[in-house]
């Protein structure tokens, strides 16, 4: 097999063997089947960033307590990498994995959920036609999924899962939600007070 | 919860407590899950306007006998507002509600129908994929629905419902319909008399 | 054309020409495409009966204020009867029509809605595959629909429409709804208090 | 009802009462639910023209033996016109009707097939979502249908039906078909002889 | 290739070469992809029999003017037989072919329509999942289709096609249709006069 | 509103006001739209029981550290109860909610996810046709879902979520999984060693 | 991990390391996701047996030249076994793999195709809802598939693939096909000669 | 029939009668229903070219050992050509056929698989709506299929089939696959090392 894939796999195993505390390892792992999925999967990045998470890159671990990491992992072209990623997930300190894939055979989320078990995996169908393949796991092999393209919600859900242990995250989520509510209240009042025609003129 | 949403809810309850006659309150309420639904939901506004209804805005009640009002109410972001709107609907004098929502989880029409019962609710699926969610209510929890995007027809149906009590509205509907019929008659004669080629040249 | 169909049509026109008060004519008309639809459409009968409506038959008008009638009308085998039924609906005193049909070409509800306009028609798709055909009316030709097989809800909706004019019906609907709520409360408490195993044993 | 629709209906009845020979009346009737269907339905015009049929317009009957006519007939806005067209079809000398409609409630082909029976009706679903509604007729109420948008094929099929009586038309159809076959033979040889790259360069 | 299939093919060609009048040859050919389709396809037999057609068997041609014949022809197992049947159809005197097949690759109706052209072919999808495959022919290669399983209607449509040439058949179709109408009139009156409960008791 | 529903709601609020430790409150809440969903939703009960969770009933809190509770909550018949359940979830100590509903308008999981936010909700579509409605939440309003009927997997996922905080649960999950693996290994060896015929005979 | 799965995996690697000739190793491998798939997957066994293949079991290699083997391999419960099976396929002498799985996430065929590449894998969707997941592989990761449940055809296709190298197998396939053709010829003649009624009586 | 189609058919038969060695004849035949399918079907050309295959054109056989050819063959317009191509496939030396067609009645792959049997045919649905028609073959009539539009994968699969006999091709496939793996490894490392924002900036 190609050298470059082997070195990636070796690094995952090396990190799994390190003795790092929870605060030093990424909390959330984002994996996607192809870099062509990135525009859709970037929603998870946006949600996590919105809630104060920082990305672990080659520059090392960020300052903040809550972090995530990103990889391209192709189930069909690099099954070895997928296997290594799932197998080392718990030992590498991940608490939740967000896994997205497109096409009708969107196997990456499912297979990652199977291999990384019991680390919870949130599946993101990158296309509408990927929903069935992502959600359809048999009894005994759980995955939880969001709707097609909703990687932003997957990011929120990952934080919800972490929040049961970290009250600070629960507070951030409530604050985030209050902002949403205010936004609806504002637009609702504007629509009612101006009427449909007036509202459209304003936004026109 | 945010102040702005609370003040909206308070106002709904205040209006419900007022002692206004039927002629003073809006007859039809239009609610939609997001202002991004407005382009689709504007059809209800157009149908009601075509039939002589006027919109109640911050400027107070219009002169005409038949009026409507509009709000943005998000089932998933502002469930409290949705609950308050449905709960006060009868007391606020609404005779029919037109409720539209998009997405696959288009809960606003259904939930409003459940909460505002027995005020009739006409559900408008804003997208094709919203139809199932809007129409699929269980026995005992009725909603009536129009097809995806057909808010114009929802507006007509709201007037049909009101017309059983108000003969004037029945007359307006008949007149509106006669206009439609004449339109078809004209184009049918034109197509037949000129032939397909001649007709297309004229319209080309 | 056959004599028997002609006599039915003649009777409809005769009734339309009679000078009867609203209280003397049926408020709701139930039509279905075939007597094979009766098992599904009987839900409308049950809902109306539950709410105190009585059926007009050959024995004449019942005592009660609120009544309904039933006919088999096949759009594809007896278009003349369908046309006559729709055309005379308003003059025969009907305030709402519940029209059900099965198959993929469920034309009866739509055509009746077009011909009886502006009398509101609640379409009942008798089968899942009838939903699209019933709901899919073009702009300007409104129908409101319930979900496949939900004729019971169509009955409730018909009463909701009549209730805007008749407070007595609104009260009956609220009372009906309170009964539903109590039923859920009872079963919810039983499930919680006994636990899932205990509840199933009880119901076993 | 509007005068213009009545005069159209009167003319249809008048033509039905005339005593014209088969050669004087149109052989094929094309009806469509809206003039917005014309771009799709024009395929029938093209096929019939390709096979030597001429259109009957206000200018009177063409010279040729085989003719057709076109009307806009809306099932939902002008059910009276639809009924009149179907009812007079046989007496007006039509041998085949091509009826097209769009939307999910594409009732025109079905209703026309029912009313004009036993004149055969070829249904054209103007959109993919119209297929179910057009094809789904119950036992005893026959329609034959082509695929969505295939009005050209409906035109060919109409001629096939007429050809069982008119050998001249069978010959025209065979000749038309030979042209198609030669076209495939040419392009097949070109692809094989030049190879895929060469063929694409030629056509580039 | 097997002897038995060759002898069938030889007989078809022999009949095509015979010089028989229209009255001596079968008017309608029924072909189906497998004898497991017979329960569904028997509807065509019933409709044709109802309208006075008789089946041509090994016992020779029946007395009656209008006749049909039946064959099993598998597109996928016996393409040679399918080709021979289509190729000889016109010369063997067939005016219409009713072709039914099941499964998702229901090729028999389409291929027969292509090979037997310009003899009109009415496709019968034997299963719901066969509809797309039967109806979806490209421009220039026409087929007309009935709905899944509606071979009875295919039989009626075959007679409608023949009726443009044979007034006697048009009369039989009108008479058949009058019977249907009377049936609906009877059941409609019974439902109305007895009411839903009374009607169900009678039929219980 | 009915007394019985009010007392349920009051009890939820009372429990929310109590000052109980995490160990005293149920960790997982199971809600379902109707007791007719119980057969499907019982899978969650089985998974939780398999992993050592006990149910909180009227008999009070069980001995074990990890517990759950069950309620029937109808979104469409008892929106007030649904609102109260969601609103008190965090204060009542729930860490995860498993919410199941059937039908095409399966609103309970979505609405509960919106109201109980940021407590994570795992939606269980009780029927295949409920999947779209459950999974299709808009951006900003997250839910995670399992496939239709997979309440057993929802139970496992709830434990996976709790396991990030409780190592003991992670160990139970690994042990559970090892049992599954052994089961597959056994049957795989049996199939290979005996061959397909031998294996079927054994199981016959 | 469990001992039993490890010993299976070890045996696969041991066989891969053996130095056996093509004639000594199984030509076709049948894998399925669960023994509950066996009723569906047994078709492959039947087709291979029909064409003279024998199964390799614990009793060692059969006499015949052409052989196959069977395993249960669960993608979601035993990803390690799946990986080992795919990885050793070429070295264990397999020329074709038939892989079947059910459910909406039918990952086994796809993942096996990816891991065993370039050994060709024929995917068998065990249920209709498995088709999309099995067939939908991205560019560069090929699988070939048969229709839902058609494991018999997968068996035939496996032999077709082997037949390009082994003329003996091509002859067996032709002989098999001749039998099919004769069967159709027989039933076609019987249907035609007896007529539909006579045929049904015979088979009744 | 047209001369040009006859000469094509004659040439196919002439080539079948020639006594050429395997190395002199094309290994893979590519057929498509229309030259409008060429953009989609060109993927097979690209895959075969990538793996060192050359196309046989009018310029004669190429130098290389492994070759392919291309034809347009319309099932519905030129059934004779389709029959001739399938019937001569084995004798013309083809080892695998790649057959693509679009539309809902994509009969070419199926019919070619039936006629050319036992030469294996890989069906390519040119459109999503062609999948069912291509894959849905009955028991006893095998085809293997790739997903809609995946002609590139069909090319790879054709080589996989040939590779069981030709080790050189297996090596080329492994080398091709290593390139794919390296590509994923590179992009995965880049995404992880730069982070999502850094990666998008680089690619922006």
């Amino acid at each position: 097999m190609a050298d470059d894939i082997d070195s990636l796999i070796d690094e995952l195993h090396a990190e799994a063997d390190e003795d790092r505390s929870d605060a030093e390892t990424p909390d959330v792992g984002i994996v996607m089947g192809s870099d062509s999925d990135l525009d859709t999967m970037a929603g998870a990045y946006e949600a996590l960033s919105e809630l104060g998470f920082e990305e672990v890159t080659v520059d090392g671990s960020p300052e903040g307590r809550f972090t995530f990491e990103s990889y391209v992992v192709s189930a069909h072209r690099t099954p070895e990498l997928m296997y290594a990623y799932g197998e080392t997930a718990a030992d590498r300190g991940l608490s939740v994995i967000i896994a997205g894939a497109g096409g009708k055979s969107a196997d990456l989320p499912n297979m990652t959920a199977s291999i990384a078990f019991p680390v919870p995996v949130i599946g993101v169908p990158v296309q509408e036609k990927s929903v069935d393949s992502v959600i359809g796991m048999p009894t005994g092999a759980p995955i939880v999924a969001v709707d097609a393209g909703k990687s932003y919600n997957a990011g929120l859900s990952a934080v919800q899962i972490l929040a049961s242990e970290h009250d600070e995250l629960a507070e951030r989520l409530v604050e985030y939600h209050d902002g949403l509510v205010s936004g609806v209240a504002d637009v609702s009042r504007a629509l009612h007070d101006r009427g449909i025609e007036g509202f459209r003129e304003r936004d026109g």
Side-chain angles (χ1 to χ4, degrees), chain A:
Chain A
M1 206 162 28
D3 288 353
D4 31 22
I5 200 80
D6 283 340
S7 75
L8 263 177
I9 292 172
D10 290 348
E11 285 171 30
L12 291 172
H13 283 289
E15 287 179 21
D17 293 342
E18 285 178 28
D19 193 21
R20 296 187 294 174
S21 75
D22 255 23
E24 289 170 300
T25 58
D27 303 285
V28 181
I30 301 175
V31 291
M32 61 198 79
S34 160
D35 61 326
S36 66
D37 300 333
L38 187 52
D39 280 349
T40 301
M41 292 302 293
Y45 165 84
E46 287 155 25
L48 290 170
S49 301
E50 170 97 27
L51 290 158
F53 283 62
E54 294 168 74
E55 186 166 8
V56 178
T57 66
V58 76
D59 301 327
S61 278
E63 291 292 296
R65 166 63 188 85
F66 299 106
T67 59
F68 65 98
E69 65 173 15
S70 310
Y71 280 101
V72 170
V73 176
S74 167
H76 300 125
R77 286 169 293 159
T78 58
E80 312 78 12
L81 179 59
M82 177 177 73
Y83 194 84
Y85 192 84
E87 194 184 21
T88 61
D91 289 336
R92 290 181 63 246
L94 297 172
S95 291
V96 194
I97 296 173
I98 296 171
K104 292 194 285 193
S105 303
D107 296 355
L108 177 66
N110 308 340
M111 291 308 307
T112 301
S114 292
I115 301 168
F117 186 88
V119 176
V121 173
I122 302 174
V124 182
V126 166
Q127 298 171 289
E128 185 61 40
K129 65 181 169 183
S130 318
V131 172
D132 276 3
S133 171
V134 169
I135 206 176
M137 295 283 275
T139 296
I143 198 172
V144 291
V146 295
D147 197 12
K150 298 291 181 201
S151 69
Y152 190 96
N153 283 1
L156 292 179
S157 291
V159 182
Q160 286 180 280
I161 290 173
L162 291 164
S164 67
E165 199 180 352
H166 302 283
D167 291 346
E168 178 186 349
L169 293 178
E171 283 158 29
R172 291 189 202 170
L173 286 165
V174 169
E175 193 178 353
Y176 163 78
H177 190 253
D178 283 349
L180 282 188
V181 171
S182 286
V184 175
D186 286 352
V187 80
S188 188
R189 182 172 293 283
L191 179 65
H192 178 263
D193 286 0
R194 293 168 186 268
I196 287 181
E197 206 173 299
F199 186 87
R200 299 183 96 179
E201 276 164 12
R202 187 193 68 162
D203 285 20

